[in-house]
Amino acid sequence: MVDVIIAFGLIVLLFAVLGSGLWIGLSLVGVALVAMEFLTSRPAGDSMMLTIWGASSSWTLTALPLFLWMGEILFRSKLSSSMFKGLAPWLDRLPGRLLHVNVVGCTIFAAISGSSAATCATIGKITLPELKKRGYPEDISVGTLAGAGTLGLLIPPSIIMIVYGVAANVSISKLFLAGVIPGLMLAAFFSGYIIVWALLNKDKVPAPDAQLSFAQKLYASRHLIPVVSLIVLVLGAIYSGIATATESAALGVAGALLLAKIEGSLDWTRFKEGLIAACRVYCMIGLILVGAAFLTLAMGFIGLPRHLAEFIGALHLSPFALMLLLIVFFIILGCFLDGISMVVLTIAVLLPTVQAAGFDLVWFGIFIVLVVEMAQITPPVGFNLFVLQGMTNRQITWIARTALPLFVLMIVAVLCTYFVPDIALWLPRRMEG
């Protein structure tokens, strides 16, 4: 009973500090200091220094700022806008027509960005004005973009997978491989939703553009060559075993710089802006990571992870019931924390429990990414909602309502990966074999 009171008190303290507006990373460090100082006999200062150094000096973590920088370079270049020109002619005859550009564009950009917010912002700047100009309803345009933007977390390379891999000591390359098929499956679900919506609302879908010949479509596809080349460079280096995830990230940055220079969209101002933005985001993520590592250490000294595992174990839940409980838990948590904070705060506590339930840690990483994707479109703290609010000047609640059908599809995707684990595990096992 005392442990429950302590755990509840720390949670209340954490949310109170977060609610005060203090940075998330500093909030985590502050709560951990309180726990270490008053609830353990360990020297708080020494423990904090050792933990922060250990959490911030991981070589694997080096891939994170590089992928962030690559995304920033592409965000500021002409490469992203070229995607619309290359994709639009091929999608104009599908039910829903150019709405599919949201999904396909996010899928392609996710494979070179690694960030949900960057994917949503980049594709949104391209597609939303075009779709509005052509007469597509704003609600379906914004809703599909909000959902499809989350693919930046699932389709490799993924920043959240790097964070999970570091926190859970799981191979990042295996996680990248595991995310490919679930990512494509989720993209297919989103496109399927657009097709169903279009068939039920034929009067709301604008007439198609002038029909192009096959040769004209092929000619328009030349705009996709730079982006596809970069995807092949980054992912091909990882999957062929030529380079690690960190080395592939460096290749991606070099490739993005080269392509942006060839396109003529890279000047000194944009170069500096991209580098500064990537540094700023990485410093934010790094502070969250070290704060969460220290809080995890404090909770370990108190014994909360062990007691939580014992409590969940005492419930004698089946693996399926445990998964449903975790979905509800992460959805609620996602209403208040960003995805990276959710992962680093919970992984150390949950790993003993999920391992005892027999879950594969690579599969569990994909599960975590899927539920974190849901958190990107759940108010009040949904990064994609914030991005789209800035673009559309709409209320967050309105944007969340438009994205609700895609939220439901994400739950369906989680259930599919549970009942058919090979959706996530087949590719890593095959490549390993």
Short mmCIF file of all heavy atoms in Angstrom, two decimals, residues 148-186:
data_model
loop_
_atom_site.label_atom_id
_atom_site.label_comp_id
_atom_site.label_asym_id
_atom_site.label_seq_id
_atom_site.Cartn_x
_atom_site.Cartn_y
_atom_site.Cartn_z
N ALA A 148 -1.92 10.26 -41.75
CA ALA A 148 -0.81 9.79 -42.57
C ALA A 148 0.52 10.37 -42.11
O ALA A 148 1.57 9.74 -42.28
CB ALA A 148 -1.06 10.15 -44.04
N GLY A 149 0.49 11.55 -41.51
CA GLY A 149 1.73 12.14 -41.01
C GLY A 149 2.39 11.30 -39.93
O GLY A 149 3.62 11.36 -39.76
N THR A 150 1.62 10.50 -39.22
CA THR A 150 2.19 9.65 -38.17
C THR A 150 3.07 8.55 -38.75
O THR A 150 3.83 7.92 -38.01
CB THR A 150 1.08 9.01 -37.31
OG1 THR A 150 0.30 8.12 -38.13
CG2 THR A 150 0.17 10.05 -36.71
N LEU A 151 2.97 8.29 -40.06
CA LEU A 151 3.81 7.26 -40.67
C LEU A 151 5.29 7.58 -40.55
O LEU A 151 6.14 6.70 -40.68
CB LEU A 151 3.43 7.08 -42.15
CG LEU A 151 2.03 6.51 -42.42
CD1 LEU A 151 1.68 6.62 -43.89
CD2 LEU A 151 1.95 5.06 -41.95
N GLY A 152 5.60 8.85 -40.28
CA GLY A 152 7.00 9.23 -40.06
C GLY A 152 7.63 8.53 -38.87
O GLY A 152 8.85 8.42 -38.77
N LEU A 153 6.78 8.02 -37.95
CA LEU A 153 7.30 7.29 -36.80
C LEU A 153 7.52 5.81 -37.10
O LEU A 153 8.35 5.16 -36.47
CB LEU A 153 6.32 7.40 -35.62
CG LEU A 153 6.07 8.79 -35.05
CD1 LEU A 153 5.07 8.71 -33.91
CD2 LEU A 153 7.36 9.42 -34.57
N LEU A 154 6.76 5.25 -38.03
CA LEU A 154 6.75 3.80 -38.23
C LEU A 154 7.64 3.35 -39.37
O LEU A 154 8.33 2.33 -39.27
CB LEU A 154 5.30 3.33 -38.47
CG LEU A 154 5.07 1.82 -38.51
CD1 LEU A 154 5.56 1.16 -37.23
CD2 LEU A 154 3.58 1.53 -38.70
N ILE A 155 7.60 4.08 -40.48
CA ILE A 155 8.40 3.69 -41.64
C ILE A 155 9.84 4.14 -41.41
O ILE A 155 10.10 5.30 -41.12
CB ILE A 155 7.82 4.29 -42.92
CG1 ILE A 155 6.44 3.68 -43.19
CG2 ILE A 155 8.75 4.05 -44.10
CD1 ILE A 155 5.73 4.24 -44.38
N PRO A 156 10.79 3.22 -41.50
CA PRO A 156 12.19 3.58 -41.20
C PRO A 156 12.77 4.53 -42.23
O PRO A 156 12.33 4.51 -43.38
CB PRO A 156 12.90 2.21 -41.24
CG PRO A 156 12.05 1.36 -42.14
CD PRO A 156 10.63 1.82 -41.91
N PRO A 157 13.77 5.33 -41.81
CA PRO A 157 14.33 5.42 -40.47
C PRO A 157 13.42 6.22 -39.54
O PRO A 157 12.82 7.20 -39.98
CB PRO A 157 15.64 6.16 -40.69
CG PRO A 157 15.39 7.02 -41.88
CD PRO A 157 14.46 6.24 -42.77
N SER A 158 13.29 5.78 -38.29
CA SER A 158 12.35 6.40 -37.37
C SER A 158 13.08 6.85 -36.11
O SER A 158 13.81 6.07 -35.49
CB SER A 158 11.25 5.39 -37.00
OG SER A 158 10.54 5.81 -35.85
N ILE A 159 12.87 8.10 -35.74
CA ILE A 159 13.52 8.64 -34.54
C ILE A 159 13.04 7.90 -33.30
O ILE A 159 13.83 7.56 -32.41
CB ILE A 159 13.24 10.15 -34.43
CG1 ILE A 159 13.97 10.89 -35.56
CG2 ILE A 159 13.67 10.70 -33.08
CD1 ILE A 159 13.58 12.33 -35.72
N ILE A 160 11.75 7.62 -33.21
CA ILE A 160 11.21 6.96 -32.03
C ILE A 160 11.75 5.54 -31.91
O ILE A 160 11.96 5.02 -30.81
CB ILE A 160 9.66 6.97 -32.05
CG1 ILE A 160 9.10 6.87 -30.63
CG2 ILE A 160 9.10 5.87 -32.91
CD1 ILE A 160 9.07 8.13 -29.88
N MET A 161 12.01 4.87 -33.04
CA MET A 161 12.60 3.53 -32.99
C MET A 161 14.03 3.58 -32.44
O MET A 161 14.46 2.68 -31.72
CB MET A 161 12.60 2.90 -34.37
CG MET A 161 11.25 2.41 -34.85
SD MET A 161 11.39 1.59 -36.45
CE MET A 161 9.66 1.34 -36.84
N ILE A 162 14.77 4.63 -32.82
CA ILE A 162 16.13 4.79 -32.28
C ILE A 162 16.06 4.96 -30.76
O ILE A 162 16.83 4.34 -30.02
CB ILE A 162 16.83 5.98 -32.94
CG1 ILE A 162 16.99 5.74 -34.45
CG2 ILE A 162 18.20 6.23 -32.30
CD1 ILE A 162 17.52 6.94 -35.22
N VAL A 163 15.15 5.79 -30.30
CA VAL A 163 15.00 6.02 -28.87
C VAL A 163 14.61 4.72 -28.16
O VAL A 163 15.19 4.37 -27.12
CB VAL A 163 13.94 7.11 -28.60
CG1 VAL A 163 13.66 7.24 -27.12
CG2 VAL A 163 14.41 8.45 -29.18
N TYR A 164 13.65 3.98 -28.71
CA TYR A 164 13.24 2.71 -28.11
C TYR A 164 14.39 1.71 -28.11
O TYR A 164 14.63 1.01 -27.12
CB TYR A 164 12.04 2.12 -28.86
CG TYR A 164 11.69 0.71 -28.41
CD1 TYR A 164 10.93 0.48 -27.27
CD2 TYR A 164 12.16 -0.39 -29.13
CE1 TYR A 164 10.63 -0.81 -26.85
CE2 TYR A 164 11.86 -1.69 -28.73
CZ TYR A 164 11.10 -1.90 -27.59
OH TYR A 164 10.81 -3.18 -27.17
N GLY A 165 15.11 1.63 -29.25
CA GLY A 165 16.22 0.68 -29.34
C GLY A 165 17.28 0.95 -28.30
O GLY A 165 17.82 0.02 -27.69
N VAL A 166 17.60 2.23 -28.06
CA VAL A 166 18.58 2.59 -27.04
C VAL A 166 18.05 2.25 -25.65
O VAL A 166 18.76 1.68 -24.82
CB VAL A 166 18.93 4.10 -27.14
CG1 VAL A 166 19.79 4.53 -25.96
CG2 VAL A 166 19.65 4.39 -28.45
N ALA A 167 16.78 2.59 -25.38
CA ALA A 167 16.20 2.37 -24.05
C ALA A 167 16.04 0.89 -23.73
O ALA A 167 16.22 0.47 -22.57
CB ALA A 167 14.86 3.09 -23.95
N ALA A 168 15.68 0.08 -24.74
CA ALA A 168 15.41 -1.34 -24.50
C ALA A 168 16.56 -2.24 -24.89
O ALA A 168 16.45 -3.47 -24.77
CB ALA A 168 14.15 -1.75 -25.26
N ASN A 169 17.66 -1.65 -25.39
CA ASN A 169 18.82 -2.43 -25.82
C ASN A 169 18.44 -3.44 -26.90
O ASN A 169 18.77 -4.63 -26.82
CB ASN A 169 19.48 -3.14 -24.63
CG ASN A 169 20.87 -3.63 -24.96
OD1 ASN A 169 21.55 -3.08 -25.84
ND2 ASN A 169 21.31 -4.68 -24.28
N VAL A 170 17.72 -2.95 -27.92
CA VAL A 170 17.27 -3.77 -29.04
C VAL A 170 17.94 -3.25 -30.31
O VAL A 170 18.15 -2.04 -30.45
CB VAL A 170 15.73 -3.71 -29.18
CG1 VAL A 170 15.26 -4.48 -30.40
CG2 VAL A 170 15.06 -4.26 -27.94
N SER A 171 18.26 -4.16 -31.23
CA SER A 171 18.91 -3.78 -32.48
C SER A 171 18.05 -2.79 -33.27
O SER A 171 16.89 -3.07 -33.59
CB SER A 171 19.17 -5.02 -33.34
OG SER A 171 19.50 -4.67 -34.65
N ILE A 172 18.61 -1.63 -33.57
CA ILE A 172 17.87 -0.61 -34.31
C ILE A 172 17.64 -1.06 -35.75
O ILE A 172 16.58 -0.80 -36.33
CB ILE A 172 18.61 0.73 -34.25
CG1 ILE A 172 18.57 1.27 -32.82
CG2 ILE A 172 17.99 1.75 -35.21
CD1 ILE A 172 19.38 2.50 -32.58
N SER A 173 18.60 -1.76 -36.32
CA SER A 173 18.42 -2.27 -37.69
C SER A 173 17.24 -3.23 -37.77
O SER A 173 16.45 -3.19 -38.72
CB SER A 173 19.70 -2.96 -38.17
OG SER A 173 20.76 -2.04 -38.26
N LYS A 174 17.09 -4.11 -36.76
CA LYS A 174 15.95 -5.03 -36.73
C LYS A 174 14.64 -4.26 -36.58
O LYS A 174 13.63 -4.62 -37.19
CB LYS A 174 16.10 -6.03 -35.59
CG LYS A 174 17.15 -7.11 -35.82
CD LYS A 174 17.15 -8.13 -34.69
CE LYS A 174 18.16 -9.23 -34.93
NZ LYS A 174 18.19 -10.22 -33.83
N LEU A 175 14.66 -3.22 -35.75
CA LEU A 175 13.45 -2.41 -35.58
C LEU A 175 13.07 -1.73 -36.90
O LEU A 175 11.90 -1.67 -37.27
CB LEU A 175 13.67 -1.37 -34.49
CG LEU A 175 13.70 -1.88 -33.04
CD1 LEU A 175 14.18 -0.78 -32.11
CD2 LEU A 175 12.32 -2.36 -32.62
N PHE A 176 14.08 -1.21 -37.60
CA PHE A 176 13.81 -0.58 -38.89
C PHE A 176 13.17 -1.56 -39.86
O PHE A 176 12.20 -1.25 -40.55
CB PHE A 176 15.11 -0.03 -39.49
CG PHE A 176 15.55 1.29 -38.89
CD1 PHE A 176 14.83 1.90 -37.88
CD2 PHE A 176 16.70 1.92 -39.35
CE1 PHE A 176 15.24 3.11 -37.33
CE2 PHE A 176 17.12 3.13 -38.82
CZ PHE A 176 16.38 3.72 -37.81
N LEU A 177 13.73 -2.78 -39.91
CA LEU A 177 13.16 -3.81 -40.79
C LEU A 177 11.75 -4.16 -40.37
O LEU A 177 10.86 -4.34 -41.21
CB LEU A 177 14.05 -5.05 -40.75
CG LEU A 177 15.39 -4.98 -41.48
CD1 LEU A 177 16.27 -6.16 -41.10
CD2 LEU A 177 15.18 -4.97 -42.98
N ALA A 178 11.52 -4.26 -39.06
CA ALA A 178 10.21 -4.65 -38.55
C ALA A 178 9.14 -3.61 -38.86
O ALA A 178 7.95 -3.93 -38.92
CB ALA A 178 10.28 -4.89 -37.04
N GLY A 179 9.53 -2.35 -39.04
CA GLY A 179 8.55 -1.30 -39.28
C GLY A 179 8.08 -1.18 -40.72
O GLY A 179 7.08 -0.51 -40.98
N VAL A 180 8.78 -1.84 -41.65
CA VAL A 180 8.46 -1.66 -43.07
C VAL A 180 7.06 -2.16 -43.41
O VAL A 180 6.21 -1.41 -43.92
CB VAL A 180 9.51 -2.38 -43.95
CG1 VAL A 180 9.08 -2.32 -45.42
CG2 VAL A 180 10.88 -1.74 -43.79
N ILE A 181 6.79 -3.46 -43.14
CA ILE A 181 5.50 -4.03 -43.53
C ILE A 181 4.34 -3.41 -42.75
O ILE A 181 3.31 -3.05 -43.35
CB ILE A 181 5.52 -5.57 -43.37
CG1 ILE A 181 6.56 -6.16 -44.35
CG2 ILE A 181 4.15 -6.17 -43.65
CD1 ILE A 181 6.74 -7.66 -44.23
N PRO A 182 4.43 -3.25 -41.40
CA PRO A 182 3.33 -2.55 -40.69
C PRO A 182 3.10 -1.14 -41.22
O PRO A 182 1.95 -0.69 -41.30
CB PRO A 182 3.80 -2.53 -39.24
CG PRO A 182 4.74 -3.68 -39.12
CD PRO A 182 5.42 -3.76 -40.44
N GLY A 183 4.18 -0.43 -41.60
CA GLY A 183 4.02 0.91 -42.13
C GLY A 183 3.27 0.92 -43.45
O GLY A 183 2.36 1.73 -43.66
N LEU A 184 3.63 0.00 -44.34
CA LEU A 184 2.93 -0.08 -45.62
C LEU A 184 1.49 -0.54 -45.42
O LEU A 184 0.58 -0.09 -46.12
CB LEU A 184 3.68 -1.05 -46.55
CG LEU A 184 5.09 -0.60 -46.97
CD1 LEU A 184 5.75 -1.68 -47.81
CD2 LEU A 184 5.05 0.72 -47.73
N MET A 185 1.27 -1.46 -44.45
CA MET A 185 -0.09 -1.92 -44.16
C MET A 185 -0.96 -0.76 -43.67
O MET A 185 -2.10 -0.58 -44.11
CB MET A 185 -0.05 -3.02 -43.10
CG MET A 185 -1.42 -3.53 -42.66
SD MET A 185 -1.34 -4.70 -41.29
CE MET A 185 -0.88 -3.60 -39.93
N LEU A 186 -0.41 0.06 -42.78
CA LEU A 186 -1.17 1.18 -42.25
C LEU A 186 -1.46 2.20 -43.35
O LEU A 186 -2.56 2.76 -43.42
CB LEU A 186 -0.40 1.83 -41.11
CG LEU A 186 -1.17 2.81 -40.22
CD1 LEU A 186 -2.40 2.15 -39.61
CD2 LEU A 186 -0.27 3.34 -39.11
#
